[in-house]
Amino acid sequence: MNNKKTRVLIVEDEKNLALNVKEILELFNYEVIGIFPTAQEVIEHLENNKTLPDIILMDILLEGDLDGIDLTYILRDKYDIPIVFVTAYSDKGILDRISQVLYEGYLLKPFTSERLTSSIYLAIKEFQSNADKKKNKPTLKIRDKGYIVPVPEEEIMFLKADGLYTKVFTEGRSYMMRDILKDIGLNLSSNKFLRVHKSYLINIDKVHSINSKEICIGKYIIPIRRGLYKDLKNMLSIN
């Protein structure tokens, strides 16, 4: 029988609230392995300790230059740890920023002990489920705002050349990479991505419709280079 306690790291700059959360979690048989008010302290703790938390409760507004969302970008590049955001704010600006980073839960202050423990339980389950689904699935590593974001290939719709840069379009947002389209294409699955034009590389799984001159992917219209239409129809199994 496995009696291992779930290890929780609390990132919170309100000391009394953090201690209250710690007390609640320990009553429910969780192990709180640390409470930190700043991003830098969290980074140093994780770098200096071999035992990682099973989950992080991440306040969004923290002391110092980095807030909880900035910190999450950094941690995603180094660690596989589920994260639940904890905040008293639900304005659109905060939600828009949260939507651009991977996370497993969102808990609005004030909350009950039941909401807290349920959020942790569900976040860990979702993280494990997503880890199983994404296992061995290829990603494109994109540097965004100074951090590396692994974007699964299946989320990419197409890439567009922009001089010495390349813009990567996903269904949720777009990214700008400081590499030319040809070089980025070498890092993508050749059986999934096709150069249909000198300026465009598409994910063939995202194609909605085509004609002899254009491809429709979502709301975007992408030109086809001359002579490719027949081969593209065969790849897409279109009669």
Side-chain angles (χ1 to χ4, degrees), residues 19-152:
L19 292 174
N20 186 37
V21 170
K22 179 177 184 291
E23 183 179 349
I24 292 171
L25 292 176
E26 289 176 345
L27 284 173
F28 283 86
N29 206 36
Y30 289 91
E31 178 186 357
V32 176
I33 64 172
I35 298 174
F36 301 99
T38 69
Q40 190 58 42
E41 288 177 89
V42 175
I43 293 169
E44 291 175 359
H45 172 80
L46 294 177
E47 287 178 346
N48 295 323
N49 288 271
K50 293 182 179 180
T51 301
L52 296 176
D54 297 307
I55 191 165
I56 297 175
L57 295 180
M58 181 74 74
D59 187 24
I60 292 178
L61 299 183
L62 301 174
E63 298 175 4
D65 296 331
L66 299 174
D67 65 17
I69 300 173
D70 297 325
L71 176 57
T72 299
Y73 273 108
I74 295 172
L75 299 186
R76 285 301 189 205
D77 186 32
K78 294 184 177 181
Y79 308 102
D80 289 322
I81 305 171
I83 292 173
V84 172
F85 283 119
V86 182
T87 181
Y89 300 91
S90 58
D91 59 88
K92 186 176 183 296
I94 291 289
L95 294 176
D96 284 344
R97 288 188 63 210
I98 289 175
S99 69
Q100 296 177 16
V101 64
L102 296 174
Y103 67 102
E104 283 66 44
Y106 179 86
L107 192 57
L108 194 62
K109 301 175 185 177
F111 47 79
T112 64
S113 57
E114 289 79 10
R115 283 287 308 280
L116 173 63
T117 53
S118 295
S119 295
I120 291 174
Y121 176 80
L122 292 173
I124 291 175
K125 286 294 185 183
E126 179 178 347
F127 182 81
Q128 292 170 343
S129 175
N130 289 338
D132 291 339
K133 291 177 183 177
K134 292 180 180 180
K135 192 176 294 182
N136 299 323
K137 287 189 177 181
T139 62
L140 179 64
K141 295 186 184 300
I142 299 176
R143 182 171 292 278
D144 183 55
K145 299 177 183 177
Y147 308 119
I148 301 296
V149 181
V151 178

